[in-house]
């Protein structure tokens, strides 16, 4: 690091992914080496119990460590890091929201920053994401239509994976190798202009995890374009933190999606989607229970039944109404 005013702040919210975080930090330093871009890395640790803070203090004293004191979730954790960067004596021109389970490929970060600097009408830019095996990870999105809430990431998609609602939502009708304007981008790697954040505000903390980047970019896009830039690439291992809490992850995904539906489409569609989710996951729990009785992969079936019943309970109890309101 140098003493020049920071042009870039990289915000990473981490929870129990110490080894992946080390790889992420190393890839950032390699990517930005020799770029003449002044940058700072801000790690918000959400009360990890895998030794992440100690590792950062001993091996990466160059990063700014913010310990949240508890698991604030993705939205509030990022807000903590964003506030620290924006309120610093040398606020950055651009802020990169980055997942800890990512690795920059070659000069992806400086190329993306320089691209953004030459496109002043852009509020958010994002790279092409790849899985560790090199395959392309879907990251471009149109705004969800009502059909998406029934057919995307639900048992209906499991049985009808190429339905037209999800196909259009994920922009599968557009090639992944050309630069293009999008409605929003998956939040694993988002380069955001400082002025756009000041105008739109931070993440809505009510979306603790899932749908938070969608809601945020709905506000950000009022102050500039959102562009997918596939000449820059980042590897994303995907879901390494949330996979530690499978039942909670399922509940958070659907309750926060319902919150978004209610905010954008109104109470009646939210109620309809909620009833649909309750019914379809109740049916799936029965199917998994039957497979357990037949002795088929019993450990897997128990885990799924537990997750599905947990979701149904969360959506049917009174607290579920408040959570999605």
């Amino acid at each position: 690091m140098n003493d020049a005013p920071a042009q870039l702040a990289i915000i990473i919210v981490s929870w129990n992914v110490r080894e992946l975080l080390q790889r992420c930090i190393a890839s950032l330093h390699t990517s930005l080496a020799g770029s003449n871009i002044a940058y700072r890395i801000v790690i918000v640790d959400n009360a990890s119990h895998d030794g992440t803070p100690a590792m950062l203090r001993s091996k990466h004293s160059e990063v700014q460590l913010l310990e949240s004191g508890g698991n604030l979730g993705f939205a509030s954790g990022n807000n903590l890091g964003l506030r620290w960067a924006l309120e610093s004596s040398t606020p950055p021109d651009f802020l990169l929201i980055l997942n800890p389970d990512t690795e920059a490929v070659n000069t992806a970060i400086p190329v993306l920053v320089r691209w953004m600097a030459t496109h002043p009408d852009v509020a958010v830019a994002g790279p092409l994401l790849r899985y560790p095996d090199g395959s392309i990870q879907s990251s471009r999105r149109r705004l969800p239509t009502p059909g998406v809430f029934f057919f995307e990431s639900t048992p209906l998609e499991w049985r009808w994976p190429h339905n037209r609602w999800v196909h259009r939502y994920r922009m599968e009708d557009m090639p992944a190798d050309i630069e293009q304007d999008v409605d929003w981008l998956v939040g694993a790697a988002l380069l955001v202009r400082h002025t756009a954040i000041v105008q739109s505000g931070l993440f809505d903390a009510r979306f603790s995890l899932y749908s938070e980047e969608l809601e945020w970019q709905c506000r950000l896009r009022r102050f500039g374009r959102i562009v997918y830039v596939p000449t820059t690439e980042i590897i994303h291992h995907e879901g390494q933190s949330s996979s530690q809490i499978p039942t909670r992850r399922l509940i958070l995904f659907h309750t926060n999606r319902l919150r978004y539906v209610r905010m954008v489409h109104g109470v009646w569609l939210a109620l309809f989607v909620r009833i649909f989710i309750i019914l379809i996951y109740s049916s799936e729990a029965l199917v998994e229970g039957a497979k357990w009785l037949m002795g088929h992969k019993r450990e897997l079936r128990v885990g799924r039944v537990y997750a599905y019943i947990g979701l149904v309970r969360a959506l049917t109890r009174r607290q579920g109404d408040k959570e999605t309101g």
Side-chain angles (χ1 to χ4, degrees):
M1 302 296 176
N2 56 50
D3 296 327
Q7 297 175 347
L8 173 67
I10 303 168
I11 313 298
I12 303 173
V13 176
S14 184
W15 185 62
N16 293 329
V17 286
R18 181 184 61 188
E19 302 306 320
L20 285 169
L21 179 60
Q22 286 193 79
R23 290 167 58 178
C24 177
I25 294 170
S27 78
L28 292 173
H29 289 320
T30 300
S31 183
L32 283 153
S35 67
N36 292 321
I37 294 175
Y39 67 99
R40 61 182 66 157
I41 300 174
V42 182
I43 308 294
V44 179
D45 184 73
N46 266 342
S48 296
H49 48 74
D50 66 346
T52 291
M55 176 274 292
L56 291 172
R57 292 190 188 96
S58 64
K59 297 183 179 181
H60 292 286
S61 59
E62 79 282 3
V63 309
Q64 176 65 46
L65 171 61
L66 304 178
E67 294 187 73
S68 65
N71 193 342
L72 302 182
F74 185 79
S76 292
N78 270 301
N79 284 348
L80 185 63
L82 286 167
R83 287 192 188 97
W84 186 92
L86 294 172
E87 294 171 4
S88 65
S89 58
T90 55
D93 299 311
F94 308 108
L95 297 100
L96 178 62
I97 304 297
L98 194 65
N99 279 14
D101 57 352
T102 57
E103 296 176 61
V105 177
N106 300 322
T107 57
I109 307 303
V111 169
L112 190 60
V113 170
R114 288 175 180 139
W115 183 95
M116 187 80 142
T118 60
H119 294 78
D121 61 332
V122 174
V124 182
L128 181 151
L129 299 180
R130 290 191 185 275
Y131 290 105
D133 65 4
S135 60
I136 293 176
Q137 188 176 126
S138 173
S139 63
R140 301 162 295 147
R141 297 288 187 270
R142 292 188 174 96
L143 291 178
T145 58
V148 169
F149 306 126
F150 300 93
F151 284 92
E152 195 264 338
S153 296
T154 73
L156 283 187
E157 185 183 10
W158 306 344
R159 290 163 175 77
W160 188 7
H162 303 295
N163 67 82
R164 61 186 179 91
W165 294 277
V166 175
H167 177 79
R168 185 179 184 281
Y169 172 62
R170 292 183 182 147
M171 299 186 70
E172 293 173 357
D173 56 329
M174 296 289 291
D177 59 350
I178 64 169
E179 183 180 303
Q180 56 201 268
D181 283 42
V182 300
D183 288 337
W184 65 286
L185 292 160
V186 170
L190 299 174
L191 184 65
V192 190
R193 193 176 299 277
H194 176 170
T195 53
I197 298 176
V198 171
Q199 291 171 301
S200 67
L202 304 180
F203 284 97
D204 185 333
R206 293 174 296 176
F207 293 86
S208 55
L209 182 66
Y210 298 115
S211 294
E212 74 290 327
E213 76 264 56
L214 165 58
E215 189 280 331
W216 194 39
Q217 289 174 77
C218 284
R219 287 182 278 126
L220 284 165
R221 65 200 297 264
R222 298 202 295 264
F223 305 100
R225 297 157 56 210
I226 298 178
V227 183
Y228 166 75
V229 186
T231 53
T232 62
E233 297 185 8
I234 285 181
I235 296 170
H236 182 211
H237 294 264
E238 192 179 32
Q240 296 302 302
S241 291
S242 60
S243 64
Q244 302 171 60
I245 48 169
T247 300
R248 186 62 180 158
R249 176 175 62 177
L250 187 66
I251 292 170
L252 287 171
F253 177 85
H254 287 289
T255 54
N256 282 320
R257 169 164 280 187
L258 284 167
R259 183 185 298 282
Y260 174 83
V261 175
R262 181 166 184 153
M263 286 175 62
V264 175
H265 297 280
V267 63
W268 288 109
L269 181 61
L271 178 61
F272 192 21
V273 173
R274 184 164 169 257
I275 292 171
F276 164 78
I277 296 298
I278 290 171
L279 291 176
I280 198 165
Y281 276 97
S282 295
S283 299
E284 288 297 317
L286 291 174
V287 170
E288 294 295 330
K291 291 179 180 179
W292 180 87
L293 287 173
M294 291 186 291
H296 184 264
K297 298 181 179 179
R298 285 192 158 184
E299 185 176 351
L300 172 66
R301 305 307 168 190
V302 167
R304 289 181 176 176
V305 168
Y306 183 81
Y308 299 161
I309 290 177
L311 173 62
V312 170
R313 285 177 174 170
L315 295 183
T316 52
R317 63 176 181 249
R318 188 173 193 138
Q319 293 90 331
D321 289 332
K322 296 177 182 177
E323 193 169 10
T324 59

